[in-house]
Amino acid sequence: MRVPRSLRGVLSCAMMVSAAKAEDATVTYNSLTPDVALEAAQAALKQCRTDGYQVSVVVVDRFGETQVLLRDRYAGLPANDTATRKAWTTVGFRADTSQLAASIKNGTLDPRLADLPRVAMLGGGLKIETADTLLGAIGVSGAPGGDKDEKCARAGIDAIRDKLDF
């Protein structure tokens, strides 16, 4: 079918408006691949083993859904749940859990936030991000102290840093 010249401009405008509406109706986001999430978790677990700790490591996506959960043989019973909650808290508040715990301690954050379901305001949860884009989080639990959990989580992120910087 041949379109008259007088209608070509109108149709062109209509197609641009339609394309703009489609862009307004969808979102695009970056996310970790399962392989990269696993690599981060394995590096975190390796660091904790090197330091002599049996832990659980969890990597969640930007929506707080678990991508990877690794539990060492002798990690304590609450380690899986606590690591998951640390990672989920990090994504939910868009902040590392040690920062959140410090904010509660110094009164910047309301301490009642720590009582919310699925929240763990304990060190060991770190954001996984690049170029100010949140990709997910890693949570580690089982070492004797959140600072030690956090060191392992940091090793996990460091292991994948070259894959994130784009």
Side-chain angles (χ1 to χ4, degrees):
M1 178 173 142
R2 190 166 167 96
V3 177
R5 248 178 214 253
S6 59
L7 291 180
R8 287 183 191 165
V10 172
L11 288 175
S12 178
C13 285
M15 290 188 324
M16 288 191 309
V17 168
S18 177
K21 285 183 181 180
E23 286 180 23
D24 291 342
T26 61
V27 296
T28 303
Y29 62 88
N30 292 315
S31 186
L32 294 174
T33 65
D35 292 337
V36 172
L38 178 60
E39 187 178 339
Q42 289 172 325
L45 185 68
K46 181 179 179 185
Q47 179 65 55
C48 273
R49 283 180 174 171
T50 298
D51 293 345
Y53 310 127
Q54 294 279 305
V55 300
S56 288
V57 179
V58 173
V59 176
V60 298
D61 64 17
R62 63 184 290 121
F63 306 109
E65 292 296 326
T66 301
Q67 284 190 282
V68 175
L69 186 153
L70 297 178
R71 180 185 174 274
D72 218 341
R73 290 176 294 243
Y74 302 112
L77 291 177
N80 284 356
D81 182 54
T82 306
T84 301
R85 289 173 47 216
K86 288 178 181 184
W88 188 87
T89 300
T90 298
V91 169
F93 287 86
R94 293 187 66 104
D96 298 340
T97 53
S98 59
Q99 294 171 333
L100 293 168
S103 294
I104 284 179
K105 191 172 186 175
N106 71 24
T108 307
L109 278 179
D110 188 325
R112 293 175 294 181
L113 291 171
D115 296 331
L116 292 172
R118 297 184 71 183
V119 170
M121 301 282 189
L122 307 163
L126 297 177
K127 294 180 288 187
I128 301 174
E129 61 185 350
T130 186
D132 293 326
T133 299
L134 182 66
L135 302 173
I138 185 168
V140 176
S141 181
D147 58 327
K148 295 165 185 67
D149 289 333
E150 188 168 313
K151 177 184 176 190
C152 298
R154 177 96 37 228
I157 294 172
D158 289 346
I160 61 169
R161 177 60 51 206
D162 62 324
K163 293 175 172 77
L164 302 180
D165 293 333
F166 49 81

